[in-house]
Amino acid sequence: MACWWAGWLLLLVEAWRAHLAQGMLEPWAPEAAGLGNTSAFQASGLQRRLPQGIIIGVRKGGTRALLEMLALHPQVAAARAEVHFFNREENYRRGLGWYCQQMPLSRPGQLTMEKTPGYFSSPGAPERIRAMDPAVRLLLIVRDPVERLVSDYTQILHNRRARRKPYPPLERLLLRGDQGLNTRFKAIQRSLYALQLARWLAVFPSAHIHVVDGGGLIREPLPELRRVEQFLGLVPSLGPNNFYFNQTKGFYCLRAGARQRCLDESKGRPHPPIAEQLLEQLCTYFSAHNEHFFSLVGRTFNWC
């Protein structure tokens, strides 16, 4: 869905406000504000469109890697920043016109995509996204819930240290003395994929949600990306030449023609060590939740 009209309206409003503020008396026209020549721009086919595909999660599951890889496809126009439209009230109140303006310019035939992993755990996001477009295609990338939990903690720890603020050791956050695991810890809650997916399946048919194996995407990107291309209705385009393994970083980096680049330094950040006994507790706790998730998506993963 094109949204040039929303941007055009915003420009008209801004120009009209400037006109009033300057106390101009002569009749005002868009051409006087330099807004009259939109036909050439529209003729090029470049427009901002509401997304036809959204990566909804999970946090620390590989959403950035997935979006960057898909952005190599000539049929994909990807929003670079997380928009947080459907999970933050202050943004949602701005309306679809504002949301559309956060999208990249795209040509006819291209698929506009955005990724905000906070959507997956947001109770109101499924209904809001469906209200925008019930036919939207949703991508959910998941990884071992224990690994995701530790990665989640590692990012928060890094951010706190960067601001010179203290943060408790992971073991202290995970354990409640003799009472066992602190299952209300947010990082644990975010790894309960089945509970969160159930909210989405109550709103969208399962055919509209494609699950990506985050671990598989990192180990061998192409098989997972082939499935994503098919789900999104894209012509198969990504190939071995788009990726190369970086021995130093230990994961695949991206290649587009002569340009090569890796994901930023926050990806692949070393995790703090965790006691083996605690890891076993976490794996035991997640086991039943994982089986429930496997039954919902009709696919199993080699976790824990």
Side-chain angles (χ1 to χ4, degrees):
M1 183 186 300
C3 61
W4 63 267
W5 53 268
W8 175 240
L9 181 60
L10 287 172
L11 287 173
L12 284 174
V13 171
E14 290 171 1
W16 177 244
R17 285 175 176 169
H19 174 81
L20 292 177
Q22 293 170 16
M24 296 179 182
L25 300 179
E26 66 272 22
W28 179 83
E31 291 81 1
L35 300 176
N37 187 22
T38 61
S39 58
F41 181 74
Q42 293 173 27
S44 71
L46 282 172
Q47 295 180 2
R48 299 191 193 277
R49 296 170 169 85
L50 289 171
Q52 301 104 317
I54 302 177
I55 300 174
I56 58 174
V58 300
R59 174 183 163 111
K60 304 309 296 179
T63 58
R64 173 55 59 184
L66 178 58
L67 185 71
E68 295 286 351
M69 290 176 181
L70 284 175
L72 295 174
H73 197 292
Q75 286 181 271
V76 172
R80 295 299 174 182
E82 295 178 6
V83 185
H84 291 280
F85 178 67
F86 299 102
N87 65 325
R88 289 184 181 172
E89 291 300 322
E90 64 272 23
N91 288 340
Y92 193 68
R93 284 195 295 266
R94 294 175 173 180
L96 283 177
W98 177 87
Y99 179 53
C100 204
Q101 288 305 303
Q102 313 312 305
M103 297 301 114
L105 292 169
S106 63
R107 294 180 174 83
Q110 281 191 305
L111 187 82
T112 299
M113 294 200 65
E114 75 119 324
K115 75 101 175 172
T116 300
Y119 292 159
F120 186 56
S121 58
S122 172
E127 287 284 1
R128 288 176 170 181
I129 292 177
R130 187 182 186 281
M132 176 194 71
D133 182 3
V136 69
R137 284 157 281 187
L138 306 173
L139 290 171
L140 174 66
I141 181 168
V142 294
R143 65 191 289 196
D144 185 310
V146 176
E147 291 181 3
R148 194 222 65 80
L149 182 158
V150 178
S151 182
D152 200 343
Y153 168 82
T154 302
Q155 176 173 293
I156 297 172
L157 176 65
H158 175 82
N159 293 340
R160 299 278 292 192
R161 284 177 172 174
R163 298 195 299 267
R164 298 184 179 179
K165 293 184 177 182
Y167 198 59
L170 181 56
E171 287 83 353
R172 192 187 305 171
L173 295 170
L174 284 172
L175 297 173
R176 298 182 300 178
D178 297 333
Q179 300 178 33
L181 287 175
N182 175 17
T183 57
R184 301 188 67 179
F185 179 40
K186 278 189 177 181
I188 287 183
Q189 290 291 311
R190 293 190 187 111
S191 286
L192 300 178
Y193 304 149
L195 291 179
Q196 297 165 52
L197 181 60
R199 286 198 298 264
W200 292 85
L201 292 175
V203 177
F204 287 96
S206 59
H208 285 210
I209 305 173
H210 178 74
V211 177
V212 180
D213 179 4
L217 185 74
I218 297 303
R219 291 189 300 271
E220 195 64 42
L222 276 179
E224 288 297 325
L225 290 171
R226 283 280 180 263
R227 298 185 186 101
V228 173
E229 286 177 323
Q230 182 177 12
F231 171 72
L232 294 176
L234 301 173
V235 174
S237 175
L238 301 175
N241 291 336
N242 291 120
F243 308 98
Y244 67 97
F245 190 78
N246 186 300
Q247 295 288 348
T248 302
K249 292 182 175 291
F251 52 78
Y252 281 88
C253 295
L254 315 180
R255 179 186 290 124
R259 293 185 300 138
Q260 298 180 358
R261 64 186 182 85
C262 293
L263 299 178
D264 66 53
E265 60 182 12
S266 68
K267 311 305 175 185
R269 186 181 287 139
H271 292 173
I274 301 177
E276 191 66 31
Q277 183 178 358
L278 180 54
L279 285 176
E280 291 177 4
Q281 282 183 267
L282 288 168
C283 288
T284 300
Y285 173 75
F286 282 118
S287 178
H289 293 283
N290 292 345
E291 291 298 325
H292 186 196
F293 179 71
F294 299 160
S295 69
L296 290 177
V297 301
R299 183 179 181 184
T300 60
F301 300 91
N302 187 25
W303 292 342
C304 274

